[in-house]
Amino acid sequence: MSTVTELPIAHTDPINAKILAISEDRIQGFVRDPIGVIAEQSDVDAETVIERVRAMLRAGTIRRVRQTLMATNLAEGALVAWQYPAEKLDAAFDYMVKDDPFSGHVVIRSTDAATPGSNYRLWTTVKVPQGYSIEKHCAMIGRLTGAEHFRVMPANRIFALGVGHVRRKGMEPGSKSDAPAEAKDTTKVVLSELDWRVLTALKREVEPDEFVRDLWRARAAEAGVPLETFYEVAESLNARKVIGRFSTFLEHVKPLQTGERVTRFNALFHWAVPHGREIEAGREVGRFHILTHCYWREGGAEFRDVNIMAVAHGTEKESVLAHKAAIDEHLASIGIPVSYTNVFWGGRSEIKPSEISPFAYVAFCRTLGVDPETMRE
């Protein structure tokens, strides 16, 4: 077996690229043998998959490996736009990253010109456990960080959710599925104590030495259940649509150890479509392969009533804009009018999983001297 120092760690290495094209976002739901599935679909043997993923994880090419959840079906979640005085923006960014475990993606964004909402520079995803108020949470965080205003935008429907930066490299503008995207709802699922025990063990990030073929055996022990029970509960959670994908997440924000960048431009697209046509428009936008995320969210008056939002990444700004132009042309060609559209470009950025455990939320509130009961809806 090769040593780690001998193994290629670049995402562009041909074998690594074959693995990543599958492991980034092609393993949907819970599977008992994710490494075996990656090996089969990438046509790379399982031992090599283990070697290469471990090496890329240790080198930072892959920033994390984990079983993702459909957190919108487990917790109250939203995209939140924050307005801060310029002198407080970076400190607020740092707080969201380091001190609020319920904030996930944290991005400072800008527009190419002064437009509605462009004074909202900090954008975060926020989740709180069921029964707690996301508005109250944001108000509490806003007070602590000196926010002037914030806008909470829950997802009414999800049309695209999957990373896959390697397989999107070189993708032609206009590439889309043959049929409109599925509109996934965000109905909350209530879990039992056993469900939470298994889910907590299931979702924890995989360390390099834990990335073994019999991946879930140690997690079952962690949850305090037999392996077969762990499988059964995980498969039940999957059937209830609260499991996302098993994924290797590339470091696509910072330069890699090799000096390369996976992407350079991160764009949040906004469209305002007629009231009543949000699902139709979202399904049409969501079918475009370049998009990693696509949602129906209500932007409100601050953002000219935009209601369809999507994210795309690329190494060249012109290419990202060409992909958006293709989506704009498609909407026009099928008779969906757009009264307003904009692009918010990502700058400083950190990405981490949001905590969703109700036990963790109670502990967090108490560290701030806040009675958790006052944070309920």
Side-chain angles (χ1 to χ4, degrees):
M1 183 181 290
S2 302
T3 64
V4 169
T5 55
E6 295 171 339
L7 292 172
I9 59 171
H11 70 284
T12 51
D13 171 82
I15 293 175
N16 290 349
K18 287 176 68 175
I19 293 168
L20 291 166
I22 302 301
S23 67
E24 276 196 277
D25 68 345
R26 288 309 208 198
I27 312 301
Q28 296 295 322
F30 172 80
V31 296
R32 296 190 178 200
D33 181 18
I35 292 170
V37 175
I38 294 168
E40 180 182 358
Q41 294 190 18
S42 65
D43 198 28
V44 176
D45 67 272
E47 183 180 14
T48 300
V49 169
I50 292 170
E51 283 185 326
R52 294 301 185 95
V53 170
R54 281 180 173 177
M56 286 188 282
L57 188 56
R58 289 189 173 110
T61 304
I62 294 173
R63 71 176 187 274
R64 65 175 57 93
V65 177
R66 65 186 291 259
Q67 179 72 59
T68 69
L69 310 179
M70 292 301 294
T72 48
N73 298 104
L74 288 169
E76 303 301 327
L79 179 66
V80 183
W82 305 83
Q83 184 177 334
Y84 285 93
E87 67 274 12
K88 293 185 177 181
L89 183 62
D90 285 324
F93 178 99
D94 291 337
Y95 183 92
M96 306 294 190
V97 171
K98 298 173 184 175
D99 298 316
D100 182 12
F102 302 92
S103 292
H105 290 51
V106 184
V107 185
I108 293 177
R109 293 191 179 275
S110 60
T111 54
D112 288 333
T115 58
S118 59
N119 52 342
Y120 286 79
R121 297 289 314 282
L122 184 62
W123 293 71
T124 66
T125 55
V126 178
K127 297 181 181 71
V128 297
Q130 292 179 34
Y132 293 95
S133 166
I134 200 161
E135 288 277 355
K136 289 180 180 179
H137 179 83
C138 290
M140 176 176 68
I141 299 302
R143 286 192 297 272
L144 291 169
T145 56
E148 295 174 328
H149 303 285
F150 63 87
R151 170 75 185 179
V152 174
M153 297 169 277
N156 296 322
R157 293 289 190 280
I158 302 169
F159 306 105
L161 185 60
V163 187
H165 295 297
V166 168
R167 68 180 175 82
R168 286 182 171 92
K169 277 188 173 293
M171 183 176 287
E172 288 296 318
S175 174
K176 64 182 185 296
S177 61
D178 293 336
E182 178 185 356
K184 298 178 181 177
D185 68 33
T186 55
T187 304
K188 302 299 180 286
V189 176
V190 177
L191 302 185
S192 69
E193 188 271 342
L194 175 60
D195 290 334
W196 274 113
R197 271 199 289 142
V198 170
L199 196 69
T200 300
L202 184 71
K203 73 183 181 68
R204 185 171 61 76
E205 290 183 26
V206 179
E207 298 297 328
D209 290 342
E210 294 181 302
F211 194 72
V212 296
R213 185 69 183 266
D214 194 9
L215 185 66
W216 303 122
R217 185 172 297 277
R219 297 302 172 94
E222 189 176 311
V225 298
L227 181 59
E228 192 59 33
T229 301
F230 184 91
Y231 285 153
E232 289 170 359
V233 173
E235 286 164 353
S236 168
L237 293 167
N238 194 47
R240 285 178 276 168
K241 300 187 184 301
V242 299
I243 303 295
R245 62 191 185 277
F246 184 84
S247 182
T248 59
F249 291 84
L250 284 176
E251 175 51 73
H252 65 279
V253 176
K254 304 181 184 78
L256 302 178
Q257 194 179 106
T258 59
E260 299 172 291
R261 286 181 181 268
V262 175
T263 65
R264 292 180 62 236
F265 293 92
N266 161 356
L268 172 64
F269 300 150
H270 281 184
W271 293 272
V273 303
H275 178 68
R277 300 189 72 177
E278 296 93 345
I279 292 178
E280 177 191 3
R283 294 185 69 205
E284 291 296 338
V285 173
R287 69 196 291 181
F288 282 79
H289 295 144
I290 194 62
L291 300 177
T292 58
H293 304 74
C294 181
Y295 299 91
W296 167 14
R297 301 185 189 274
E298 294 291 342
E302 297 97 325
F303 297 98
R304 292 276 297 273
D305 296 316
V306 300
N307 43 20
I308 303 299
M309 301 185 185
V311 176
H313 299 78
T315 53
E316 302 296 333
K317 186 175 184 178
E318 294 75 13
S319 174
V320 175
L321 289 173
H323 282 284
K324 182 179 182 295
I327 299 172
D328 293 340
E329 290 167 11
H330 176 69
L331 291 175
S333 73
I334 59 175
I336 298 180
V338 174
S339 60
Y340 173 77
T341 186
N342 203 354
V343 181
F344 283 74
W345 297 100
R348 188 182 179 197
S349 176
E350 291 285 349
I351 300 170
K352 59 190 174 74
S354 301
E355 181 57 78
I356 58 172
S357 164
F359 312 113
Y361 196 72
V362 168
F364 175 74
C365 289
R366 287 177 175 158
T367 64
L368 297 176
V370 174
D371 180 355
E373 289 304 307
T374 65
M375 301 300 290
R376 290 194 175 274
E377 291 181 310

